[in-house]
């Protein structure tokens, strides 16, 4: 009982949580003083045993109560000390000097959206998770097409997938609206790819115009106007190409903005930079959404690609690293 009394006195004076815990184990632990005292009861006579057991129980109660109070007080004190130490002086002068237009990707995206919405294109964001029909079949991408391969596409268990391009938004728009349709879809797209020129997540802008009498001349005018507005005065070159969802299809190049076509590393000495893909909407796509016989055009471009060219950034991966110096330089 003397040892127990001493422990109770010690408890009064404890100044830190570590010592408090040591003391708790010494008294209340499995092999602690109390357990030992209770074990010793069996050697006593009945009357004495009862009296002593009551005394031990009373002790246990007062020790536990005091321990709980001490613990609470010490924890509050510790928090107070930490808050003092980690205090931030918000009145200090700002050492961050650089002004910035924001992240190059957001800045580029906003510029593109502004350009097209000012010309009557309605902005669609679309869902990131799509089904096979909207991402592939409806866009005339048949089952054996390489774009569907497991190594390119992130699939979910239930045949859903992360959209590999913004084109599913075209399908949704044509399924839910009656022409004329004039829209752009903007947002993240996903493919299983990672190197200096590919990242698993990238962003696209997609344009779609559906109306009777729409022809290639309209498409050319819209895109040439866009490139000149975006990059300043550039020459534009159209090369025939192939995409499953457009017919005819074209790739669009513009004169190199870095060397004015004298030849440089960026344009690989050709004087031209690839910037866009475009074409007239394939009749099969119209058939898939119940708009047979309709005319329209579509185009697509990568926001990262345009940001790299317009902000003179040469490593795609730097967009996804949080380097303030890059943002400040920009
Ligand atoms: Zn060049």
């Amino acid at each position: 009982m003397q040892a127990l009394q001493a422990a109770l006195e010690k408890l009064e004076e404890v100044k830190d949580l570590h010592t408090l815990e040591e003391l708790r184990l010494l008294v209340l632990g499995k092999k602690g003083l109390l357990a030992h005292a209770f074990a010793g009861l069996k050697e006593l006579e009945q009357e004495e045993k009862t009296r002593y057991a009551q005394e031990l129980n009373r002790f246990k109660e007062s020790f536990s109560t005091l321990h709980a109070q001490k613990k609470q007080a010490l924890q509050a004190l510790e928090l107070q000390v930490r808050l003092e130490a980690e205090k931030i002086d918000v009145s200090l002068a700002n050492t961050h000097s650089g002004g910035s237009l924001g992240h190059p990707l957001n800045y580029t995206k906003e510029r593109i959206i502004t350009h097209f919405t000012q010309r009557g294109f309605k902005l669609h964001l679309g869902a990131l998770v799509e089904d096979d029909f909207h991402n592939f079949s409806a866009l005339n991408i048949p089952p054996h097409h390489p774009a569907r391969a497991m190594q390119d596409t992130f699939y979910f268990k239930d045949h859903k997938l992360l959209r590999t391009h913004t084109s599913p938004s075209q399908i949704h728009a044509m399924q839910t609206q009656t022409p004329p349709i004039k829209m752009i879809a903007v947002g993240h797209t996903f493919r299983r790819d990672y190197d200096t020129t590919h990242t698993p997540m990238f962003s696209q802008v997609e344009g779609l115009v559906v109306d009777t009498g729409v022809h290639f001349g309209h498409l050319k005018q819209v895109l040439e106007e866009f490139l000149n507005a975006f990059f300043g005065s550039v020459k534009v070159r159209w090369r025939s190409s192939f995409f499953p969802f457009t017919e005819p299809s074209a790739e669009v190049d513009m004169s190199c903005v870095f060397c004015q076509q004298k030849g440089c590393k960026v344009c690989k000495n050709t004087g031209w930079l690839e910037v866009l893909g475009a074409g007239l909407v394939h009749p099969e796509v119209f058939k898939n959404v119940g708009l047979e016989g309709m005319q329209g055009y579509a185009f697509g471009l990568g926001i990262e690609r345009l940001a790299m060219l317009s902000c003179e950034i040469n490593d795609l991966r730097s967009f996804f690293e949080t380097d303030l110096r890059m943002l400040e330089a920009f």
Side-chain angles (χ1 to χ4, degrees), residues 256-268 271 273:
C256 180
V257 287
F258 297 97
C259 66
Q260 273 67 46
Q261 295 201 292
K262 289 187 191 80
C264 71
K265 228 164 63 181
V266 187
C267 63
K268 299 191 184 84
L273 298 167

Side-chain angles (χ1 to χ4, degrees), residues 18-303:
H18 181 72
T19 318
L20 182 72
E21 178 61 7
E22 275 181 355
L23 203 56
R24 186 188 69 82
L25 288 172
L26 174 77
V27 177
L28 300 174
K30 255 187 196 164
K31 292 179 181 168
L33 292 173
L34 257 182
H36 185 73
F38 274 113
L41 285 178
K42 61 177 182 280
E43 273 145 44
L44 300 175
E45 295 294 324
Q46 188 54 47
E47 204 176 303
E48 205 180 349
K49 192 195 266 180
T50 314
R51 190 184 54 78
Y52 196 46
Q54 282 170 348
E55 207 173 309
L56 287 180
N57 278 325
R58 271 198 301 275
F59 172 84
K60 190 179 175 184
E61 212 184 301
S62 7
F63 186 90
S64 301
T65 311
L66 186 59
H67 172 268
Q69 287 167 355
K70 267 279 172 192
K71 192 173 175 183
Q72 209 178 10
L74 287 173
Q75 276 173 338
L77 193 71
E78 197 171 81
L79 180 68
Q80 185 61 36
V81 170
R82 236 181 68 202
L83 286 176
E84 282 294 325
E86 292 171 9
K87 197 164 70 176
I88 293 169
D89 185 355
V90 291
S91 67
L92 282 175
N94 181 12
T95 51
H96 177 75
S97 58
S100 171
L101 293 168
H103 195 281
L105 287 183
N106 285 333
Y107 174 69
T108 306
K109 188 172 82 180
E110 289 308 321
R111 278 187 70 196
I112 299 170
I113 291 174
T114 305
H115 176 91
F116 284 106
T117 50
Q118 279 175 351
R119 284 155 184 82
F121 286 78
K122 202 169 158 238
L123 177 64
H124 287 232
L125 296 174
L128 302 183
V129 176
E130 280 289 353
D131 54 33
D132 184 277
F133 176 76
H134 289 89
N135 196 78
F136 293 127
S137 315
L139 288 155
N140 199 29
I141 302 172
H144 58 268
H145 195 280
R148 285 182 175 229
M150 286 299 284
Q151 63 265 32
D152 289 326
T153 309
F154 290 103
Y155 283 98
F156 295 105
K157 278 184 193 146
D158 53 357
H159 303 294
K160 298 267 184 189
L161 48 87
L162 281 176
R163 65 176 180 189
T164 58
H165 47 182
T166 41
S167 309
S169 298
Q170 289 188 20
I171 302 299
H172 286 291
M174 289 191 282
Q175 280 180 323
T176 54
Q177 297 167 31
T178 31
I181 297 168
K182 199 172 177 187
M183 62 163 282
I184 50 166
V186 181
H188 294 317
T189 53
F190 305 86
R191 290 183 203 176
R192 295 161 72 112
D193 231 343
Y194 189 67
D195 57 41
T196 48
T197 53
H198 296 91
T199 47
M201 183 186 78
F202 52 103
S203 338
Q204 286 188 336
V205 174
E206 178 102 6
L208 173 75
V209 171
V210 178
D211 203 353
T212 45
V214 167
H215 57 75
F216 215 92
H218 295 124
L219 172 63
K220 282 183 81 169
Q221 192 212 337
V222 162
L223 291 184
E224 286 180 14
E225 189 204 4
F226 165 68
L227 289 174
N228 278 288
F230 200 86
F231 289 99
S233 177
V234 287
K235 278 186 262 176
V236 180
R237 178 173 84 171
W238 294 72
R239 283 181 293 117
S240 81
S241 183
F242 172 80
F243 304 113
F245 31 86
T246 44
E247 178 60 34
S249 305
E251 288 212 50
V252 186
D253 300 337
M254 67 173 185
S255 49
C256 180
V257 287
F258 297 97
C259 66
Q260 273 67 46
Q261 295 201 292
K262 289 187 191 80
C264 71
K265 228 164 63 181
V266 187
C267 63
K268 299 191 184 84
N269 288 317
T270 61
W272 293 98
L273 298 167
E274 264 180 48
V275 278
L276 280 154
L280 294 183
V281 179
H282 199 291
E284 279 298 316
V285 175
F286 280 135
K287 215 165 101 187
N288 293 334
V289 293
L291 291 176
E292 274 154 299
M294 188 53 73
Q295 290 88 45
Y297 65 77
F299 58 88
L301 55 93
I303 295 179

